[in-house]
Amino acid sequence: MPSSNPSASRGRSRRFAGSMLVVAMTSAGIAAWLLWPMQPRIVVDPGDVQQVETGAAAYRTHCASCHGADLEGQPEWRTRRPDGRLPAPPHDETGHTWHHPDEHLFALVKHGLQPPLAPEGYESDMPAFDGILSDEEILAVLAYIKSRWPPEIRRRQSEISAR
């Protein structure tokens, strides 16, 4: 026989609502877990010797011609050329690469210099490497670049990435 006690009825309603919340949160967690592999995991470890070696080879092949064999960038990299574009910046500690979080650097290499990392219509010689380099190779290039920075610059860039 059903209880006519309002307190017992409220207790069942709360238990039911709590159960539904658990089901909803579990479903959301499973969906996130299933979708997670679709998102690139940003792991740039300048202390990972294998990742740095892979990155050094990819950097020499795909990046050094513009950014320099020693990450020094092109001369006058802050001065626009007659076509309005900027020369390739250095990736050593004298440049601004370390001022950006890993996620931005990854997106810039993968997709080129376009919104939201650059204003709409911005023109750059920086190509998109999506389809040329795998996500793992892009991360390796970033690890190589970071491995060449002094410890203090690495620490500061790590803090920027953590924000």
Side-chain angles (χ1 to χ4, degrees):
M1 177 169 177
S3 169
S4 62
N5 180 347
S7 181
S9 182
R10 277 194 302 272
R12 281 192 299 274
S13 293
R14 286 186 182 143
R15 281 192 299 277
F16 178 75
S19 296
M20 293 310 295
L21 180 62
V22 168
V23 167
M25 290 177 67
T26 301
S27 297
I30 291 170
W33 179 74
L34 290 172
L35 294 174
W36 178 255
M38 292 182 196
Q39 302 298 319
R41 186 156 178 250
I42 305 297
V43 178
V44 180
D45 183 359
D48 180 332
V49 174
Q50 182 59 51
Q51 190 180 43
V52 169
E53 286 176 1
T54 299
Y59 181 90
R60 282 191 301 274
T61 302
H62 299 283
C63 312
S65 62
C66 293
H67 292 283
D70 291 321
L71 290 76
E72 73 275 11
Q74 294 176 335
E76 309 275 331
W77 65 275
R78 289 186 173 122
T79 304
R80 292 196 182 279
R81 298 183 312 229
D83 66 2
R85 296 177 181 200
L86 288 167
H91 289 313
D92 62 14
E93 70 277 4
T94 68
H96 59 80
T97 305
W98 65 269
H99 294 111
H100 302 286
D102 291 341
E103 288 79 11
H104 288 186
L105 297 173
F106 176 85
L108 193 147
V109 174
K110 184 167 183 156
H111 304 294
L113 200 50
Q114 61 181 2
L117 300 175
E120 192 68 46
Y122 185 82
E123 291 191 24
S124 170
D125 291 332
M126 177 67 187
F129 283 93
D130 191 19
I132 298 168
L133 295 174
S134 69
D135 288 354
E136 292 75 24
E137 288 171 314
I138 293 170
L139 296 172
V141 166
L142 297 175
Y144 167 69
I145 290 169
K146 289 171 73 167
S147 76
R148 304 280 307 271
W149 295 340
E152 176 60 20
I153 295 295
R154 250 194 259 177
R155 184 191 63 73
R156 290 170 68 187
Q157 193 273 338
S158 259
E159 290 172 358
I160 291 167
S161 287
R163 286 187 210 142

